[in-house]
Amino acid sequence: MVVPELGPWRAARPHVVRIANAVRPRLARAVAAAKPRVARLARAGKPQVTPRSKTWHHTAVAATAGLALAAGVVTAAGPWDSSGQRTAERDRAAALARAGGADHGRAPGAPARPRPAPSAGPVLTGLGGVSTVKSAPDGKALANALTPLLNDPALGPRPAAAVVDVTTGRHLYGTNPDAALPPASTTKIATAVAALSAMGADHRLTTRAALEPDTNEVVLVGGGDPTLTAREAIDGWASLRVLADRTAATLAQRGVREVTLSYDTTLYAGTQKHPIGANPNLALVSPLMADEGRTNDSSSGPATRVTDPAADAARRFRDFLGSRGIKATDPGLSKATTRAKTLAEVSSPPLSALVERMLTNSDNDIAEALARQTAIATGGRGDFAGANRAITAQLRKLGLPVKGAAFKDGSGLNRAGRLTANLLTALLTKAADPAHPELRPALTGLPVAGFTGTLTARYTDGAAGVVRAKTGTLTGVNALAGTTVDQDGRLLAFAFLANNTTDPDAAQKALDKAATTLARCGCQ
């Protein structure tokens, strides 16, 4: 599962201009259709939310209001700035004051670490809610457009697909939509929704240093933050160096210059090794790690990992303390007592930012951490089995169709996992539900076709900038699930699952062609 890195935005500007010209007509139609609704909303003041139904279907009334305003921003701000960023995304994100800035990483050996690219704002996801002129695509016309593409032999003998109108929750198309198939990394959409619903978008993960009373034992307590970094450039993530700064300062105030150093990993239970075994796609699942245990300076994609992430982080912490005047012993495994007093702590960015980074980069380490955090937050055991139960329970609590689903991890690396196309589209639709704003990062974190994360090098023509989707790839498995805006400005959620594929490149192209066709389809 090689994750393509994000190229420099400025270098992409010529391509961006071409895409802007391609999508400008549909933006204009959407804005024109939105004007009456925006005027009514301005008079009404507070949007009214339609009561939730007992099923996962819903009407995104309040979403329509915000999305209509988002479409207006596109026209008012102009499509692109000089750096190649959509200006509407930048301005809208600032207006919403939402956390973003997913770290898209860099390739091993690159000369300089790029600044985090701005996470795609809700502009593209929003256009579907503003169309009041055109109705949703006709199911028969949609079937005529998609069925021949999904019958491509490259997608295996029995692909599954579902398309839903996000505004109404109405199913528009399906082929084997309830077939439970290996979903690969599209599993991360379910992990995102479960974690956000269990902990909230503002939740943070904290790593701390504690001092045992009447001793000079300092315990580094892992809080399950997979984004903790030991690097000098922290880019907004929690820093082990900063924790050492604060710990050393507090110890110095107490006149302590020598300590016994221990580290605590008891937040998680069970085995740390993923069922697939040692793999460059993820480290051991530990509540204490720095830079995901990577042995190079990468921040995404496969990399050789240290054999013990927790011990490695503790040794780094010891070295940082030493450079700050605190002599520490070689660290040993321990458990902080309830009497231990916190000396210092550092916290991750909000959960919304972690979810965005996980989805954009298809980050397996974050996915497994959030799965276990979901279990812990809901009173379960922080191991693989507990995480799987917790994800299922959270989705069921949200009224989502979990029949046939089987969660075996949070990342989708386990081939025994099963999801349905109906569940994936239901997850995406639920994330747009105005009654669940805490779930929105499950949409805003999706890679943007031709621009970010795992879709950077895909959709160089056609649906670039219009499709946002999570990819899924294992040997013999290809999947794609996300959202797109069709020619009439309707926001559609889709999921395509293909198994027993023999040519991954051909399967990927077939899925991209189906998504592009959906984006180009008025299908009335």
Side-chain angles (χ1 to χ4, degrees), residues 233-368:
I234 62 176
D235 295 332
W237 307 105
S239 169
L240 198 61
R241 293 170 185 260
V242 172
L243 182 61
D245 285 338
R246 296 172 181 174
T247 302
T250 303
L251 289 172
Q253 290 174 358
R254 301 185 181 193
V256 177
R257 293 294 180 182
E258 294 189 17
V259 298
T260 298
L261 182 61
S262 303
Y263 60 98
D264 183 344
T265 62
T266 58
L267 180 66
Y268 293 170
T271 180
Q272 296 183 333
K273 184 178 290 187
H274 190 280
I276 66 172
N279 191 286
N281 283 296
L282 81 168
L284 293 179
V285 184
S286 170
L288 178 62
M289 62 170 62
D291 303 301
E292 299 180 338
R294 296 172 180 271
T295 58
N296 57 23
D297 57 359
S298 66
S299 58
S300 65
T304 302
R305 313 302 179 102
V306 297
T307 56
D308 188 339
D312 173 70
R315 285 191 293 268
R316 290 173 181 241
F317 187 65
R318 174 204 61 195
D319 294 342
F320 293 150
L321 287 177
S323 65
R324 289 154 177 79
I326 304 297
K327 184 178 180 180
T329 62
D330 288 338
L333 192 62
S334 184
K335 175 179 170 56
T337 68
T338 57
R339 299 171 60 221
K341 303 297 182 181
T342 298
L343 295 169
E345 62 184 29
V346 291
S347 295
S348 72
L351 181 60
S352 57
L354 272 64
V355 165
E356 287 186 337
R357 176 171 165 176
M358 173 187 71
L359 292 173
T360 300
N361 290 343
S362 199
D363 192 304
N364 300 303
D365 296 281
I366 296 178
E368 296 304 340

Side-chain angles (χ1 to χ4, degrees), residues 89 132 180 184 293 329 359 502-503 518:
E89 289 183 353
T132 57
T329 62
L359 292 173
T502 57
D503 185 337
L518 188 61

Side-chain angles (χ1 to χ4, degrees), residues 132-484:
T132 57
V133 177
K134 297 285 188 178
S135 60
D138 175 73
K140 184 176 180 180
L142 202 56
N144 290 337
L146 289 179
T147 299
L149 301 178
L150 294 172
N151 285 335
D152 188 328
L155 296 179
R158 193 169 177 263
V163 178
V164 173
D165 179 358
V166 172
T167 301
T168 64
R170 184 165 68 91
H171 285 266
L172 303 176
Y173 175 80
T175 179
N176 304 316
D178 292 316
L181 300 174
S185 278
T186 59
T187 298
K188 294 182 177 74
I189 299 174
T191 301
V193 169
L196 289 164
S197 67
M199 294 176 278
D202 295 327
H203 183 76
R204 296 172 187 262
L205 308 177
T206 300
T207 306
R208 65 190 181 99
L211 181 67
E212 293 290 354
D214 305 320
T215 73
N216 283 346
E217 182 187 6
V218 172
V219 184
L220 179 62
V221 183
D225 178 7
T227 63
L228 180 70
T229 180
R231 296 169 181 167
E232 290 189 31
I234 62 176
D235 295 332
W237 307 105
S239 169
L240 198 61
R241 293 170 185 260
V242 172
L243 182 61
D245 285 338
R246 296 172 181 174
T247 302
T250 303
L251 289 172
Q253 290 174 358
R254 301 185 181 193
V256 177
R257 293 294 180 182
E258 294 189 17
V259 298
T260 298
L261 182 61
S262 303
Y263 60 98
D264 183 344
T265 62
T266 58
L267 180 66
Y268 293 170
T271 180
Q272 296 183 333
K273 184 178 290 187
H274 190 280
I276 66 172
N279 191 286
N281 283 296
L282 81 168
L284 293 179
V285 184
S286 170
L288 178 62
M289 62 170 62
D291 303 301
E292 299 180 338
R294 296 172 180 271
T295 58
N296 57 23
D297 57 359
S298 66
S299 58
S300 65
T304 302
R305 313 302 179 102
V306 297
T307 56
D308 188 339
D312 173 70
R315 285 191 293 268
R316 290 173 181 241
F317 187 65
R318 174 204 61 195
D319 294 342
F320 293 150
L321 287 177
S323 65
R324 289 154 177 79
I326 304 297
K327 184 178 180 180
T329 62
D330 288 338
L333 192 62
S334 184
K335 175 179 170 56
T337 68
T338 57
R339 299 171 60 221
K341 303 297 182 181
T342 298
L343 295 169
E345 62 184 29
V346 291
S347 295
S348 72
L351 181 60
S352 57
L354 272 64
V355 165
E356 287 186 337
R357 176 171 165 176
M358 173 187 71
L359 292 173
T360 300
N361 290 343
S362 199
D363 192 304
N364 300 303
D365 296 281
I366 296 178
E368 296 304 340
L370 296 189
R372 294 202 182 199
Q373 292 285 356
T374 300
I376 294 166
T378 55
R381 179 177 165 88
D383 58 10
F384 282 108
N388 300 337
R389 286 192 296 268
I391 292 173
T392 304
Q394 286 302 116
L395 302 191
R396 183 177 289 115
K397 186 184 298 185
L398 289 169
L400 295 167
V402 296
K403 183 179 180 180
F407 292 96
K408 299 300 181 180
D409 62 7
S411 62
L413 287 174
N414 192 331
R415 303 179 65 88
R418 294 290 185 272
L419 293 184
T420 67
N422 268 346
L423 176 55
L424 285 167
T425 52
L427 286 161
L428 295 163
T429 306
K430 182 65 71 174
D433 189 339
H436 290 281
E438 75 281 1
L439 303 182
R440 208 72 74 244
L443 292 181
T444 60
L446 294 174
V448 180
F451 290 95
T452 62
T454 55
L455 291 184
T456 299
R458 292 166 65 169
Y459 298 90
T460 53
D461 294 307
V466 180
V467 168
R468 304 184 70 153
K470 182 71 200 73
T471 57
T473 307
L474 294 171
T475 302
V477 177
N478 293 84
L480 191 69
T483 64
T484 190

